[in-house]
Amino acid sequence: MTTVAAAQPVAPDGAAVRPRRLALVASKGTLDAAYPPLILAATAASLGWEVGIYFTFYGLDILHRKKHRRLKVAPLGNPAMPVPIPNLVGALPGMTAAATAMMRRWMKRSSLPDIPQFLEMARESGVRLFACSTTMGVMGVTPDDLMPGADIAGAAAFLDFAADADVSLFV
Amino acid sequence: MTTVAAAQPVAPDGAAVRPRRLALVASKGTLDAAYPPLILAATAASLGWEVGIYFTFYGLDILHRKKHRRLKVAPLGNPAMPVPIPNLVGALPGMTAAATAMMRRWMKRSSLPDIPQFLEMARESGVRLFACSTTMGVMGVTPDDLMPGADIAGAAAFLDFAADADVSLFV
Amino acid sequence: MTTVAAAQPVAPDGAAVRPRRLALVASKGTLDAAYPPLILAATAASLGWEVGIYFTFYGLDILHRKKHRRLKVAPLGNPAMPVPIPNLVGALPGMTAAATAMMRRWMKRSSLPDIPQFLEMARESGVRLFACSTTMGVMGVTPDDLMPGADIAGAAAFLDFAADADVSLFV
């Protein structure tokens, strides 16, 4: 948390001011749903905020070191896709792969890092990565499945962190 | 709300301290989306927090006494499903039922109560259950459709409750 | 922001009290997901709150002047739809149009404005509409695509606005 400490603001009378805090829940495991919490976390950390992300349910895939390089976008049932795909076509084999490849190209064109790079950057900026212990049990995720630096925590620990947050968001 | 009152903390000088408060919105009606707000609510209540859940849009199904025993998971368009199913297979009759049965087994194996039990536990712990009056009108849900103990409330009542919350989350 | 200023409460000693503030993120571009942030925003504004909505990812479609009259509901992969549709039927051409038409009828029957009307009402009540600059770049949305009155802002500007909010919700 050195980065955060270094950015900690100081009040006019010299007393340390508590930094802002952002508490995020990442509950989805698709490529498009993985970006918003990481973008918000990285932005907040760069502003000197304390940040924690609680990965739960399908969101655990974002912390999963075998899965997080292969998160996918489904075109099916998502009429808001930038290039909308009729559902019958979206159900054809290969369309999820095509939508995923398209989103990867967009992110690259906009110089956004991929998910593993983004997580590594977040961790280096002091962002805390919590894996939900309850859903690890439910979904059969083991500690060895998680990327290095992730902490296993229960919902009570997340609530304790979020209670003092300035902004809490469930993604 | 006896349970919450009993857990209310007291400051060193003997004055009553306002308990923490969690305000949740449950907007989705699938089985997988019903668990996160209930797990967070039950955890917060067990820590002595005041908790309210505002059920709106599809989330009203969680309060619906005929529907909430039969909430479903759709494998379609969800490439983050723990056992991913190709979309063409996911569209076959019976696949939603299979994904739902699988999630029920996981929850049971992890000793998580089912949705009606979870709601009853939450209510007994003092969690307030609000049914969104606007979407009741839009979706044709009547007061008799709701489980006992649910209060009908508008968005203004929810915002009033959430304004004093330490943590607010939209699920 | 005249409306908000006019509604600003005054404490018993005559000092101005900071109004409540609601910070919303609208990240989805379907018709059903567009209503909750707009209903919450309009309700909060009518209570004298300061309100800002940050439109990001697919949620940018809600601000898109060519797209926001044509937002859709997908019946596919959504077993919580009030009239559930088997997935194979939901994949047939025309079913997304049918589900969309049904939801439009419900909203009209409940006297809810359509999306462009709702946005215009929100803007007139002083609700601030922020378009996420990062996802504009990623998804190729230009300033000319946005409805009048929308401000382009980065995640840092949203966090700054949300840091002083009483309630923050990610929809």
Side-chain angles (χ1 to χ4, degrees):
Chain A
M1 303 278 291
T2 329
T3 313
V4 168
Q8 190 168 326
V10 174
D13 65 357
V17 172
R18 186 179 69 80
R20 295 284 195 185
R21 181 182 286 189
L22 173 65
L24 296 165
V25 181
S27 71
K28 300 191 184 72
T30 53
L31 182 61
D32 42 349
Y35 272 100
L38 291 172
I39 291 172
L40 287 165
T43 305
S46 75
L47 297 169
W49 294 35
E50 286 179 358
V51 184
I53 314 179
Y54 187 69
F55 297 85
T56 187
F57 274 78
Y58 308 125
L60 277 176
D61 282 4
I62 304 173
L63 281 188
H64 194 294
R65 53 179 164 186
K66 283 178 198 154
K67 293 185 180 173
H68 69 181
R69 290 185 185 283
R70 296 181 279 134
L71 302 181
K72 291 182 177 55
V73 184
L76 248 193
N78 183 2
M81 272 294 288
V83 183
I85 296 169
N87 287 324
L88 262 186
V89 176
L92 295 177
M95 288 311 294
T96 292
T100 302
M102 185 174 70
M103 184 156 285
R104 284 184 186 281
R105 275 198 305 274
W106 290 350
M107 295 301 176
K108 201 161 186 181
R109 195 182 59 199
S110 297
S111 306
L112 284 172
D114 68 19
I115 300 297
Q117 289 167 339
F118 225 142
L119 281 164
E120 191 50 37
M121 279 171 46
R123 208 172 58 87
E124 283 171 9
S125 313
V127 172
R128 296 171 68 183
L129 306 173
F130 302 107
C132 168
S133 52
T134 303
T135 40
M136 283 179 69
V138 168
M139 300 173 78
V141 175
T142 69
D144 282 349
D145 292 330
L146 303 176
M147 64 170 274
D151 292 318
I152 299 171
F158 168 70
L159 285 170
D160 195 52
F161 180 84
D164 290 323
D166 298 274
V167 179
S168 296
L169 300 168
F170 186 103
V171 180
Chain B
M1 303 277 291
T2 329
T3 314
V4 168
Q8 190 168 325
V10 174
D13 64 358
V17 173
R18 186 177 71 78
R20 295 285 194 184
R21 182 182 285 188
L22 173 64
L24 297 166
V25 181
S27 72
K28 300 191 185 72
T30 52
L31 182 61
D32 42 350
Y35 273 100
L38 291 171
I39 291 172
L40 286 165
T43 305
S46 76
L47 297 170
W49 293 36
E50 287 179 358
V51 185
I53 314 179
Y54 187 69
F55 296 86
T56 188
F57 273 78
Y58 308 125
L60 277 176
D61 282 4
I62 304 173
L63 280 189
H64 195 295
R65 52 180 166 184
K66 283 179 197 153
K67 292 186 180 171
H68 68 184
R69 291 185 185 285
R70 296 182 278 133
L71 301 181
K72 291 182 176 56
V73 183
L76 248 193
N78 182 1
M81 273 293 289
V83 183
I85 297 169
N87 286 324
L88 262 186
V89 176
L92 294 178
M95 289 312 292
T96 292
T100 302
M102 185 174 71
M103 185 156 285
R104 284 184 186 281
R105 276 198 305 275
W106 290 349
M107 294 303 176
K108 201 161 187 180
R109 195 180 58 199
S110 297
S111 306
L112 284 173
D114 68 20
I115 300 299
Q117 289 168 340
F118 225 142
L119 282 165
E120 190 50 37
M121 279 172 46
R123 206 171 58 87
E124 285 171 7
S125 315
V127 173
R128 296 173 67 184
L129 307 174
F130 302 108
C132 168
S133 51
T134 303
T135 40
M136 283 180 69
V138 169
M139 300 173 77
V141 175
T142 69
D144 282 349
D145 291 331
L146 303 177
M147 64 170 275
D151 292 319
I152 299 172
F158 168 69
L159 285 170
D160 194 54
F161 180 84
D164 291 322
D166 298 275
V167 179
S168 296
L169 300 169
F170 186 103
V171 181
Chain C
M1 303 276 292
T2 328
T3 314
V4 168
Q8 190 168 326
V10 174
D13 65 356
V17 173
R18 186 178 70 79
R20 297 284 195 183
R21 182 181 287 187
L22 174 64
L24 295 166
V25 181
S27 71
K28 301 189 183 73
T30 53
L31 182 61
D32 43 348
Y35 273 100
L38 290 172
I39 292 173
L40 286 165
T43 305
S46 76
L47 297 170
W49 293 35
E50 287 179 358
V51 185
I53 315 180
Y54 187 69
F55 296 86
T56 187
F57 275 77
Y58 307 125
L60 276 175
D61 282 3
I62 304 174
L63 281 188
H64 195 294
R65 53 180 166 185
K66 283 178 198 153
K67 293 186 181 172
H68 68 182
R69 292 185 184 282
R70 295 182 280 133
L71 302 181
K72 290 182 177 57
V73 184
L76 249 192
N78 183 0
M81 273 293 288
V83 183
I85 296 169
N87 286 325
L88 261 186
V89 176
L92 295 178
M95 289 310 294
T96 292
T100 302
M102 184 173 71
M103 184 155 285
R104 283 184 186 279
R105 276 197 306 274
W106 292 349
M107 294 303 176
K108 203 162 186 181
R109 196 180 58 198
S110 298
S111 306
L112 284 173
D114 68 18
I115 299 298
Q117 290 168 339
F118 225 142
L119 281 164
E120 191 50 37
M121 280 171 47
R123 207 172 57 87
E124 285 171 8
S125 313
V127 172
R128 297 172 67 183
L129 306 174
F130 302 107
C132 168
S133 52
T134 304
T135 41
M136 282 179 70
V138 169
M139 300 173 76
V141 176
T142 69
D144 283 347
D145 292 329
L146 302 177
M147 62 171 274
D151 293 317
I152 299 172
F158 168 71
L159 286 170
D160 196 51
F161 180 84
D164 290 322
D166 298 274
V167 180
S168 297
L169 300 169
F170 186 102
V171 179

